[in-house]
Amino acid sequence: MSEPSLGEFEELVLLFVAAHNQEAYGVLILECLEEKLQKKVNISAVHVALKRMENKGFVESNFGGITNERGGRRKKYYSITSLGKKVLDRQYELRTSIYNQIPKISFGQ
Amino acid sequence: MKPQPPKRALQFFRWFCREDYLEEIEGDLVELFEKHHEVSPSKARRGFVWSVIRYFRPGFIKAFYQGKNSNNTAMLRHNLLITFRNFKRYKSSFLINLIGLSVGLLSALLIYLWVYSEATVDGFHAKDEQLYQVMRNSDYGRGIRVYDNNSDLLVPALKEEIAEVEYAVSFVEVWSDVYLSYGEKKIKAKGKLTGEDFFKVFSYNLVQGDPNKALSDQNNIVLSKRLARSLSDNGEVELGQVVSILGETEYGARYTDDYVVTGIYDLSEQNVSERYDFLLTTKQFLSKRSPGNNHWNSNSSKTYITLHEGTDVAQFNEKLHTFFRNKRYPDKPDLDPDWGEGMFIEKFSERYLYDRYENGVRAGGRIDYIILFSAIGLMVLVVACINFMNLSTAQAFRRLKEVGVKKVVGANRRMLAFQHITESVILAALASLIAVFGAIALYPQLSMISDREIIIDWTPEMILGIIGIVIATGVIAGSYPAFYISRLRPIQILKGKLKSSTGEVVVRKGLVVFQFCVSLVLIVTVIVVTRQIEYTQSKNLGYDRDNVISFSREGKLLENYETFLNEAKKIKGVKTAATVQGDPVNFRNSGSGFFLEGHPNPSFTFARVGYDFVETMGIEIIEGRSFSREFANEETKIILNETALKAMELEDPVGNTYNIRGTKQVIGIMKDFHIQSLHEEIKPSFLIFRPEEVNTIIVKIQSGMERDALTELEKVYRSFNPNLPFEYEFLDQNYEELYNAEQRTASLYKGFALVAIFISGLGLLGLSAFTVQMRLKEIGIRKVLGSSIWKIIMLLSKDLTRTVFIALFIAIPLGYYLSQEWLDGFAYRIDLKTGIFIVSGLMVVLLAWAIVALQAFRASKVNPVECLKDE
């Protein structure tokens, strides 16, 4: 079985999950994304990506405690799995190795 | 207060989102909403709705049709177990429910079988669509009358002159039974005379013989299988053998001859309106009849035709009418076309159901009974269903805790409904099993209601009908309780604080009211029907029918009946003896005859009689005399009744001579008497003296001496006819036969009314038992506080009394209307007195009270300790 793939948007979400390990939840990820990307993202997109990656085994989740926020609804915190980290690493290596092959290109300034 | 996200969107989201995602996503959505709300509330709301919509995608929608239970069979077994435990635990409720429903269903099924059989009578002929009977109507300015008999000249003329007619056949009665003999055997049988085309027109089952030739020769006879069997000692009379008709009866004498058997038919499997034992040919009939009767105004036969396919009936009717009038009134081309006789056709298979005409228009007949009984069947079934619903919902209260616990544990509405539907279906299935077997066992008795043998074709449609009735009953009766119970809320149930909404109470009360209405209407109509029948039996008819016997003039009596009469009169206990043609309690001859200038010309009903008829029947002569041996030439004399005098506007006619079937002198006036059933008004009628044409002997016997007189009479009869049985009938029995239809209807009607009342009573019993049980604690407390037994009974009956009175209020006018409709069919009828309604009302009220009071009484006797010690 080939390793599950990782989409571009998924990769971004996974990066944020890794960045805020154990603390990442829907709204937090959404806000980070919007800040970095400088564009509107719908919360549903984040959830779709999270659920998919959970199915693929890249992230895992657990409920936080009940607080007075959000009408008593619990948050679900995501953390990256070792598989997720491996995929992320490989992706990073792949990219950097290919990036390093780029010769100095002059655009004739 | 925090801002609330859009309610509808949230509801929608909660409805579709899968449960394991719900909390997380909802939380995120709300958090976002709250954050956005601080910036722009409207934008936040829009965003929220939009996001919710975005979630409406495959990965997030829950599975609506998931088979959550993998243990379906286990649940089913559990349901069944609980069902049977409940049946066992509440035996009385179970039995009441089962009996009520099965009796109701049984009645409905029996009625269905009967209705189906009646509705398909004569419908089996292959040419059913083309098969018609030719009818005749007459209009002499006093309303149109319809007859089913025609001239013998019609069949040959139709075949020859009207192209649309494919086959035509006539059907003549052999008016009385005749004796058939084969070898040593001698059997009395009923026959008909018919034409060659008979087996082409009708699809009667000719088991032996050639349908084209069976009735072609004058001396042919076709026997029914039954007769063929009973005539022969071993096996059956076979084709080609010779059977004789003996001249022992008046009509037998006419047909005395040897006949060759050319066919054997078997009607035992066919649903026919009329059965007869043998068929002769019309050729035989015509050859024996005086040729003087061979004209277009002599109507002795019924005529059946088949039309070629695609013939337009309306056009054909017009053509037939003109054709007939040209034959009937050949010399009067300028006659008013509406005056006199005309002709039309009716579909043969519809004749059985629609045999009554009013002023020339089809006005029902047996179809009325079919509708009546279908309505009763439906009513009984509805009452039974209502019962079932009421009892099941009431009973369900006992099981509220079970439902509550199940709901808490997680049973959803669908599962609960399913459980209760299973229960209803099992009960309904048990009931229908009982009903179906009962119906199969009882349906031969159905012939009681009908004057013919009931034959049921077990066709697929018919069986589908039965299955339909059973399933519909199960679903209707079972669905309401099931849905009612499963709708209940667990918290309320477990708290024990169940309040029925007013709507439910109204529905349940309404159902009880409806039940009582049906019962009441049935009781009222049953009383009216019974009273009217008693009335017809006891009404002074103008003649004395008690202790008068009649028998037919057969054998040697054909030659010298005068000697017999003289012998008979000598017997001790015999008052008088006389002769008459036809049935003395129902004059069938009719005709017009007076052609008197300046006087109206009514239609008469008359009888041909011998000496002493008036005396034997006890008819009062108010003026003049009756036929007597002391005068000569009595054949030229006539006796009229009062109505005839009035109708003809004659004054003091005794001694005068008129032209009535020849010149006749009026010798007497009879006081009016009922010459026919009480359905008919007294008609103008007369008696004429025809001692040679009489076929019935009537003997008046002194009351108290019947047995001796009859034994002696039989001896005298035997000395004349040693080989013939002495079969006599009492006139009052003959008279009762005029009301056969009513009698049968009445007895059946009573039966079904009883069933309906029985079921309603059962329902009430169940309901009241339940109410009492529910209020047992209340009763206990009341008793402890000093309430008397009577007060408790009153308390428990109060509710019911109101219900019954509402039912009374609705049912009495309805019953009055329906009874009046039925009574309108009688020319002489009872008045609808308030007594009838009071009696029926009282009956129902008393019945209801008795049932409830009994339950209440039992409850009130309970020791308060018993019912208060728990909890």
Side-chain angles (χ1 to χ4, degrees):
Chain A
M1 198 183 105
S2 65
E3 215 160 66
S5 64
L6 192 65
E8 186 204 2
F9 187 74
E10 281 174 12
E11 190 182 346
L12 283 172
V13 175
L14 187 57
L15 282 168
F16 281 116
V17 170
H20 302 273
N21 210 10
Q22 303 279 5
E23 308 242 310
Y25 71 100
V27 178
L28 181 83
I29 298 170
L30 176 79
E31 279 168 351
C32 296
L33 273 170
E34 281 182 342
E35 192 192 298
K36 292 272 179 199
L37 297 178
Q38 290 297 318
K39 70 171 187 184
K40 272 268 176 217
V41 177
N42 194 290
I43 180 77
S44 67
V46 179
H47 277 131
V48 170
L50 283 173
K51 296 298 173 197
R52 271 193 195 147
M53 287 193 293
E54 198 170 8
N55 276 343
K56 291 174 194 169
F58 298 160
V59 294
E60 54 192 13
S61 63
N62 58 299
F63 276 113
I66 297 176
T67 57
N68 268 339
E69 289 168 41
R70 352 200 304 167
R73 296 174 190 88
R74 290 173 295 171
K75 288 175 184 169
K76 197 165 217 181
Y77 293 111
Y78 289 86
S79 50
I80 192 160
T81 60
S82 60
L83 177 65
K85 183 73 174 46
K86 222 156 67 187
V87 172
L88 214 53
D89 287 346
R90 195 173 312 139
Q91 201 94 331
Y92 178 74
E93 274 165 28
L94 186 73
R95 296 230 170 126
T96 38
S97 73
I98 299 173
Y99 189 85
N100 288 338
Q101 287 174 14
I102 303 173
K104 292 261 193 250
I105 300 171
S106 162
F107 290 97
Q109 277 177 341
Chain B
M1 171 91 200
K2 288 204 171 157
Q4 293 298 315
K7 225 175 164 182
R8 298 226 164 211
L10 195 60
Q11 256 175 12
F12 173 64
F13 179 71
R14 281 178 185 163
W15 174 70
F16 76 74
C17 185
R18 45 190 283 196
E19 269 145 34
D20 50 338
Y21 290 0
L22 186 63
E23 186 172 0
E24 171 200 3
I25 297 177
E26 199 184 313
D28 286 357
L29 277 172
V30 171
E31 190 181 333
L32 266 181
F33 172 77
E34 282 167 3
K35 279 183 183 160
H36 291 161
H37 196 268
E38 282 162 24
V39 187
S40 153
S42 62
K43 225 175 176 177
R45 298 178 76 83
R46 270 207 304 282
F48 186 87
V49 173
W50 176 237
S51 299
V52 166
I53 293 171
R54 291 283 298 265
Y55 279 111
F56 194 70
R57 50 184 296 161
F60 291 79
I61 295 174
K62 67 179 165 201
F64 283 96
Y65 302 104
Q66 81 254 53
K68 267 190 194 160
N69 293 317
S70 51
N71 58 346
N72 273 332
T73 39
M75 281 309 289
L76 205 61
R77 273 177 55 197
H78 164 82
N79 286 348
L80 282 178
L81 188 68
I82 289 193
T83 303
F84 287 116
R85 276 185 189 158
N86 263 304
F87 289 165
K88 247 176 103 179
R89 181 153 173 219
Y90 303 108
K91 281 194 197 79
S92 60
S93 306
F94 166 66
L95 278 180
I96 287 175
N97 239 343
L98 185 68
I99 293 172
L101 196 61
S102 45
V103 169
L105 201 53
L106 174 63
S107 319
L109 281 183
L110 282 178
I111 290 176
Y112 172 74
L113 287 179
W114 176 72
V115 165
Y116 188 85
S117 169
E118 288 282 284
T120 53
V121 161
D122 288 338
F124 61 88
H125 296 287
K127 294 197 169 159
D128 182 39
E129 289 301 314
Q130 299 150 261
L131 180 52
Y132 292 89
Q133 179 169 11
V134 180
M135 309 289 291
R136 191 166 54 91
N137 54 20
S138 72
D139 184 3
Y140 296 108
R142 271 182 305 279
I144 305 170
R145 302 189 64 158
V146 174
Y147 306 89
D148 62 353
N149 52 1
N150 292 296
S151 166
D152 308 305
L153 299 175
L154 182 63
V155 166
L158 278 177
K159 284 212 256 190
E160 212 156 285
E161 294 174 40
I162 299 193
E164 286 91 334
V165 176
E166 188 186 24
Y167 296 112
V169 71
S170 64
F171 216 46
V172 188
E173 306 258 351
V174 175
W175 274 104
S176 67
D177 293 350
V178 298
Y179 286 98
L180 260 78
S181 89
Y182 174 75
E184 293 289 293
K185 286 251 183 130
K186 195 154 116 186
I187 287 175
K188 214 172 187 181
K190 196 174 84 168
K192 301 255 170 166
L193 302 117
T194 187
E196 282 174 64
D197 291 344
F198 185 71
F199 289 104
K200 290 178 203 154
V201 171
F202 299 106
S203 314
Y204 293 122
N205 185 13
L206 188 69
V207 284
Q208 285 182 51
D210 180 354
N212 297 317
K213 289 188 198 143
L215 290 162
S216 55
D217 204 46
Q218 189 173 321
N219 270 37
N220 288 350
I221 188 168
V222 176
L223 301 176
S224 73
K225 203 176 173 69
R226 201 184 293 177
L227 184 65
R229 275 217 185 113
S230 41
L231 268 179
S232 170
D233 285 323
N234 37 7
E236 230 172 61
V237 178
E238 280 164 26
L239 294 191
Q241 287 178 314
V242 175
V243 169
S244 338
I245 290 181
L246 302 177
E248 311 274 25
T249 59
E250 190 210 0
Y251 282 92
R254 187 181 282 187
Y255 299 115
T256 306
D257 211 337
D258 290 340
Y259 295 88
V260 181
V261 177
T262 46
I264 289 172
Y265 61 83
D266 182 10
L267 299 188
S268 60
E269 308 265 299
Q270 288 179 315
N271 197 1
V272 296
S273 53
E274 210 183 356
R275 283 165 203 281
Y276 28 83
D277 304 314
F278 65 90
L279 289 168
L280 299 176
T281 64
T282 30
K283 283 179 190 158
Q284 183 70 13
F285 167 72
L286 293 173
S287 73
K288 295 289 152 105
R289 200 172 61 157
S290 65
N293 280 334
N294 251 349
H295 52 76
W296 283 93
N297 193 20
S298 154
N299 302 303
S300 49
S301 48
K302 294 178 180 173
T303 307
Y304 302 96
I305 56 171
T306 54
L307 300 178
H308 285 291
E309 272 175 79
T311 309
D312 183 85
V313 174
Q315 269 174 21
F316 180 80
N317 266 333
E318 241 166 74
K319 193 171 173 182
L320 182 73
H321 184 74
T322 332
F323 158 84
F324 172 65
R325 287 182 67 88
N326 287 337
K327 299 279 183 197
R328 177 82 172 79
Y329 308 109
D331 315 325
K332 302 179 191 164
D334 47 350
L335 201 63
D336 175 7
D338 289 330
W339 186 91
E341 296 193 340
M343 207 166 252
F344 64 102
I345 54 173
E346 285 283 16
K347 207 156 167 253
F348 174 61
S349 51
E350 287 173 9
R351 283 278 301 141
Y352 179 74
L353 293 183
Y354 303 89
D355 56 351
R356 205 155 48 81
Y357 289 85
E358 260 166 38
N359 199 17
V361 182
R362 211 149 83 160
R366 289 191 179 84
I367 189 79
D368 298 337
Y369 289 114
I370 289 192
I371 293 171
L372 175 73
F373 280 112
S374 306
I376 294 178
L378 196 67
M379 285 293 127
V380 170
L381 194 58
V382 168
V383 167
C385 283
I386 289 175
N387 234 356
F388 189 85
M389 290 182 201
N390 262 343
L391 285 177
S392 308
T393 37
Q395 213 197 334
F397 278 86
R398 290 186 182 134
R399 300 174 54 187
L400 286 181
K401 291 228 162 87
E402 176 195 329
V403 174
V405 170
K406 275 196 167 164
K407 279 205 151 185
V408 169
V409 173
N412 58 29
R413 191 174 165 186
R414 205 156 44 90
M415 287 156 70
L416 282 173
F418 181 71
Q419 183 200 342
H420 287 274
I421 286 178
T422 334
E423 214 168 300
S424 308
V425 165
I426 286 175
L427 242 176
L430 274 178
S432 42
L433 216 64
I434 295 173
V436 167
F437 280 114
I440 290 171
L442 287 177
Y443 89 85
Q445 311 289 327
L446 280 174
S447 307
M448 254 173 52
I449 355 169
S450 187
D451 39 6
R452 58 185 194 89
E453 252 175 83
I454 294 280
I455 286 190
I456 291 165
D457 301 326
W458 296 96
T459 54
E461 304 106 70
M462 138 106 201
I463 290 166
L464 269 183
I466 292 182
I467 296 173
I469 291 177
V470 170
I471 290 182
T473 309
V475 168
I476 293 170
S479 57
Y480 177 71
F483 288 109
Y484 172 76
I485 291 166
S486 58
R487 205 178 53 208
L488 298 173
R489 298 235 167 146
I491 295 178
Q492 284 180 347
I493 297 170
L494 290 180
K495 267 184 174 168
K497 216 172 62 178
L498 192 82
K499 275 245 169 92
S500 326
S501 72
T502 39
E504 280 159 22
V505 174
V506 166
V507 167
R508 206 167 316 144
K509 285 247 171 80
L511 293 179
V512 176
V513 167
F514 178 80
Q515 271 187 330
F516 273 99
C517 279
V518 171
S519 305
L520 255 169
V521 169
L522 285 174
I523 292 177
V524 167
T525 42
V526 160
I527 294 180
V528 170
V529 169
T530 322
R531 288 258 173 100
Q532 171 67 21
I533 283 174
E534 275 167 15
Y535 171 78
T536 58
Q537 239 110 97
S538 60
K539 184 172 181 348
N540 183 2
L541 300 170
Y543 64 85
D544 189 4
R545 63 178 184 275
D546 293 331
N547 287 316
V548 178
I549 62 161
S550 72
F551 48 94
S552 46
R553 180 187 162 205
E554 295 176 354
K556 287 283 189 296
L557 295 187
L558 292 176
E559 290 150 33
N560 41 9
Y561 76 93
E562 277 291 340
T563 335
F564 174 79
L565 288 185
N566 287 333
E567 294 277 320
K569 281 181 204 164
K570 282 181 204 152
I571 297 169
K572 199 171 163 241
V574 171
K575 276 184 173 169
T576 54
T579 50
V580 59
Q581 191 208 35
D583 188 349
V585 295
N586 190 12
F587 288 13
R588 289 225 185 86
N589 296 312
S590 66
S592 46
F594 276 55
F595 292 104
L596 201 62
E597 287 298 317
H599 288 277
N601 178 22
S603 174
F604 285 91
T605 307
F606 65 92
R608 303 180 175 96
V609 300
Y611 291 117
D612 296 332
F613 176 76
V614 171
E615 289 76 12
T616 311
M617 293 289 284
I619 297 165
E620 200 181 326
I621 296 280
I622 48 176
E623 210 184 327
R625 62 177 179 86
S626 69
F627 300 117
S628 159
R629 291 179 181 82
E630 288 156 28
F631 294 85
N633 279 339
E634 295 290 76
E635 279 88 348
T636 63
K637 292 168 188 159
I638 189 167
I639 303 176
L640 299 174
N641 73 350
E642 288 174 300
T643 308
L645 243 62
K646 269 177 234 144
M648 294 188 55
E649 296 168 7
L650 290 177
E651 271 171 41
D652 199 20
V654 177
N656 294 347
T657 305
Y658 302 98
N659 181 14
I660 314 154
R661 303 193 161 229
T663 316
K664 300 246 161 46
Q665 188 192 18
V666 178
I667 54 165
I669 308 294
M670 305 175 278
K671 198 172 163 59
D672 274 342
F673 62 99
H674 287 274
I675 45 182
Q676 288 168 328
S677 81
L678 294 180
H679 283 292
E680 314 281 341
E681 304 254 7
I682 293 181
K683 296 194 185 106
S685 63
F686 60 79
L687 303 178
I688 46 174
F689 186 67
R690 288 281 182 282
E692 290 316 313
E693 289 176 32
V694 296
N695 59 359
T696 307
I697 295 176
I698 53 175
V699 177
K700 171 93 178 172
I701 296 166
Q702 219 158 358
S703 69
M705 307 193 52
E706 291 91 349
R707 185 183 295 195
D708 296 341
L710 283 172
T711 336
E712 282 301 309
L713 202 59
E714 178 159 11
K715 273 186 202 156
V716 177
Y717 183 85
R718 287 276 181 202
S719 69
F720 281 80
N721 283 334
N723 296 326
L724 297 181
F726 180 53
E727 290 169 345
Y728 57 87
E729 282 165 327
F730 279 93
L731 270 202
D732 43 1
Q733 284 169 1
N734 277 7
Y735 175 75
E736 275 172 28
E737 272 166 26
L738 294 178
Y739 303 97
N740 252 343
E742 282 79 19
Q743 296 268 23
R744 274 194 299 259
T745 318
S747 56
L748 204 80
Y749 199 78
K750 272 186 220 164
F752 284 117
L754 269 181
V755 167
I757 295 162
F758 171 72
I759 296 175
S760 304
L762 268 187
L764 194 62
L765 181 72
L767 269 187
S768 56
F770 167 74
T771 327
V772 166
Q773 210 187 359
M774 293 292 279
R775 296 174 77 173
L776 216 53
K777 289 217 165 74
E778 179 193 333
I779 294 169
I781 293 168
R782 278 175 190 275
K783 280 193 79 176
V784 169
L785 294 178
S787 182
S788 74
I789 289 179
W790 276 113
K791 273 210 172 127
I792 290 170
I793 292 178
M794 292 293 279
L795 175 85
L796 289 169
S797 331
K798 203 171 66 190
D799 223 23
L800 177 96
T801 313
R802 205 169 47 218
T803 318
V804 171
F805 274 102
I806 295 172
L808 273 177
F809 199 68
I810 299 170
I812 296 282
L814 195 64
Y816 178 84
Y817 170 75
L818 292 174
S819 317
Q820 196 62 58
E821 283 278 292
W822 183 75
L823 283 177
D824 281 345
F826 285 88
Y828 300 89
R829 55 181 178 248
I830 55 166
D831 294 328
L832 279 180
K833 294 210 185 76
T834 40
I836 293 174
F837 298 100
I838 293 174
V839 167
S840 11
L842 268 182
M843 266 170 73
V844 169
V845 172
L846 286 182
L847 180 77
W849 269 341
I851 290 172
V852 175
L854 193 75
Q855 294 291 332
F857 183 70
R858 264 173 55 187
S860 60
K861 296 287 271 186
V862 161
N863 185 348
V865 176
E866 289 295 317
C867 53
L868 291 177
K869 68 180 179 193
D870 299 332
E871 285 184 40

